[in-house]
Amino acid sequence: MLSAYRAMEDTRSGGGALLVSHTLRGELRQNESMRRHCSWKAGGNMSRFYIPADLADLQYFLSQQNEHEPLYIIGLGSNLLVRDGGFTGTVVLTHSALSGIEVQSTPERELVSAEAGVAAPKVARFAARHDFEGAEFLAGIPGTVGGALAMNAGCYGAETWTHVFDVTTIDRSGQLHVRSPQEYEISYRHVVEKAASHGNPLTPLKEWFVSARFLFEKGDGIQSSEKIKELLKRRIASQPLQQPNAGSVFRNPQGDFAARLIEFCGLKGFTIGQAQVSPRHANFIVNLGDATASDIENLLKLIEHRVREETGIMLQREVQIIGEALQ
Ligand SMILES: Cc1cc2nc3c(=O)[nH]c(=O)nc-3n(C[C@H](O)[C@H](O)[C@H](O)COP(=O)(O)OP(=O)(O)OC[C@H]3O[C@@H](n4cnc5c(N)ncnc54)[C@H](O)[C@@H]3O)c2cc1C
């Protein structure tokens, strides 16, 4: 049994979670470059960067933070840009720390339980190996479970939250909470806590995901593995996977495709500095080698402007941008 689940089980069995650690066992780094932690391989530094040892360590770390310290949790940075001036505050990395995955069996059901730092493709492969079906779409999403929950990541008609049985979250004081999907407003690439948002869809999450339990149908693992291979082939054929990128940078507007609109505006291949609208997939921005975050953000702004001018449609960003521009 994974050690991190002990704390979760304490929460489930009643009341607040126990803080089960009293010394920091993770790794705290100063001025860590985001280039090492995001798929664009670009961006500024994070003033404090913490890699927890496990969930109990993360709880203790959060409980020790000043209540005004800006905190940000990241997974694999596959949907993230930190501006060149960096992020002043503490960034916590879940990947490599919250890495447990297992099948939990009860008399009523079998659930796939995964911690937030588990890579989404690993969930797809794990589910197939245990004869579940429905998780295949996660195989091509190069983020973590936490990122997939925060973004309601999806593709080919499937979405993360469709399969969520419950999630465990952590608040900034380090307490754990078990939440049901009904406690969130969930839509296309968008998740907010109902209790915190008061109807405002732009409200940032107040609690972070530390794990999720997924309910998938029982099926044929061999068929699921075949489906995974098929989906990955489709991606390799259509996406610029050899160059650093962050997937689709804009959400698809209702009834249309951001890529179609960008291509319609003649922007395929358009370049600012070392950032380019991929000639292969117009909703991808690729790093040609040494792109700065500002090259990428300026290209995003230019696309937004041109698409609005030429089609009247205001594209909504899917990629998350934090930090300060270089002065
Ligand atoms: C080649 C490529 C293909 C992609 N294809 C798809 C696709 O098909 N469908 C799709 O939806 N996305 C796709 N993406 C985008 C990206 O992989 C997903 O959005 C993914 O879910 C992000 O996960 P992450 O761990 O990398 O999150 P990060 O980029 O690290 O973070 C993204 C956001 O999630 C938040 N977050 C991360 N972890 C947590 C947590 N534990 N608790 C709370 N908030 C958290 C961060 O604070 C941030 O706001 C693609 C990206 C690439 C590079």
Side-chain angles (χ1 to χ4, degrees):
M1 174 57 80
L2 309 159
S3 63
Y5 284 108
R6 259 183 251 131
M8 287 164 48
E9 291 305 328
D10 287 341
T11 325
R12 290 204 170 96
S13 58
L18 300 177
L19 293 177
V20 292
S21 176
H22 298 290
T23 49
L24 287 179
R25 291 171 289 114
E27 192 186 339
L28 183 63
R29 299 183 189 167
Q30 314 281 341
N31 279 325
E32 178 79 356
S33 168
M34 192 57 199
R35 285 165 188 243
R36 301 181 57 189
H37 300 284
C38 89
S39 58
W40 251 323
K41 305 213 180 309
N45 290 358
M46 296 157 284
S47 56
R48 288 173 88 229
F49 186 73
Y50 192 64
I51 309 172
D54 53 29
L55 179 58
D57 184 58
L58 174 60
Q59 286 185 269
Y60 184 62
F61 178 77
L62 290 177
S63 75
Q64 298 304 298
Q65 302 308 302
N66 178 311
E67 62 177 307
H68 302 297
E69 173 73 4
L71 290 173
Y72 200 77
I73 291 215
I74 66 167
L76 277 160
S78 63
N79 202 26
L80 185 64
L81 186 64
V82 177
R83 293 190 178 95
D84 300 309
F87 177 80
T88 307
T90 301
V91 170
V92 174
L93 183 80
T94 61
H95 184 59
S96 83
L98 305 181
S99 57
I101 183 164
E102 65 181 9
V103 176
Q104 288 186 355
S105 301
T106 67
E108 296 87 39
R109 56 185 73 85
E110 281 190 309
L111 300 166
V112 174
S113 179
E115 287 189 291
V118 175
K122 185 170 177 180
V123 177
R125 290 193 303 271
F126 179 90
R129 228 177 20 253
H130 290 81
D131 286 327
F132 292 104
E133 63 180 39
E136 300 85 0
F137 74 100
L138 290 169
I141 299 179
T144 58
V145 166
L149 291 167
M151 299 303 305
N152 191 19
C155 54
Y156 306 126
E159 281 184 343
T160 302
W161 278 85
T162 313
H163 304 281
V164 171
F165 181 75
D166 61 17
V167 292
T168 300
T169 63
I170 194 164
D171 63 28
R172 59 171 299 140
S173 67
Q175 295 296 309
L176 301 181
H177 308 269
V178 178
R179 305 271 181 218
S180 71
Q182 289 70 37
E183 294 180 71
Y184 295 88
E185 273 166 29
I186 299 157
S187 54
Y188 167 62
R189 304 291 173 272
H190 194 73
V191 178
V192 289
E193 293 138 344
K194 282 183 187 162
S197 74
H198 305 295
N200 177 0
L202 298 178
T203 314
L205 290 168
K206 294 244 179 320
E207 295 170 1
W208 301 285
F209 302 106
V210 293
S211 65
R213 297 198 296 173
F214 296 99
L215 183 57
F216 297 115
E217 296 288 314
K218 281 308 268 185
D220 176 347
I222 295 175
Q223 266 183 28
S224 289
S225 299
E226 286 305 313
K227 193 166 172 192
I228 288 174
K229 279 188 205 148
E230 265 318 296
L231 294 179
L232 291 178
K233 262 194 217 156
R234 278 168 74 176
R235 276 180 186 267
I236 291 165
S238 62
Q239 298 181 354
L241 300 180
Q242 307 303 326
Q243 292 163 300
N245 69 78
S248 296
V249 288
F250 295 105
R251 299 180 166 104
N252 287 323
Q254 197 147 23
D256 209 335
F257 292 97
R260 190 196 72 77
L261 295 166
I262 298 166
E263 196 170 346
F264 171 80
C265 295
L267 290 172
K268 248 188 173 179
F270 194 91
T271 302
I272 292 183
Q274 290 278 294
Q276 183 185 51
V277 178
S278 167
R280 192 155 198 188
H281 190 311
N283 200 15
F284 278 50
I285 291 180
V286 294
N287 179 352
L288 294 177
D290 206 13
T292 60
S294 90
D295 290 341
I296 294 169
E297 192 171 6
N298 287 338
L299 190 51
L300 277 166
K301 286 181 185 160
L302 181 133
I303 296 169
E304 284 163 352
H305 179 74
R306 286 280 290 276
V307 170
R308 194 177 59 239
E309 291 261 289
E310 296 194 27
T311 69
I313 294 172
M314 183 66 210
L315 290 174
Q316 302 298 317
R317 292 180 191 178
E318 185 171 323
V319 63
Q320 309 293 303
I321 303 182
I322 62 168
E324 303 298 326
L326 212 52
Q327 295 303 319

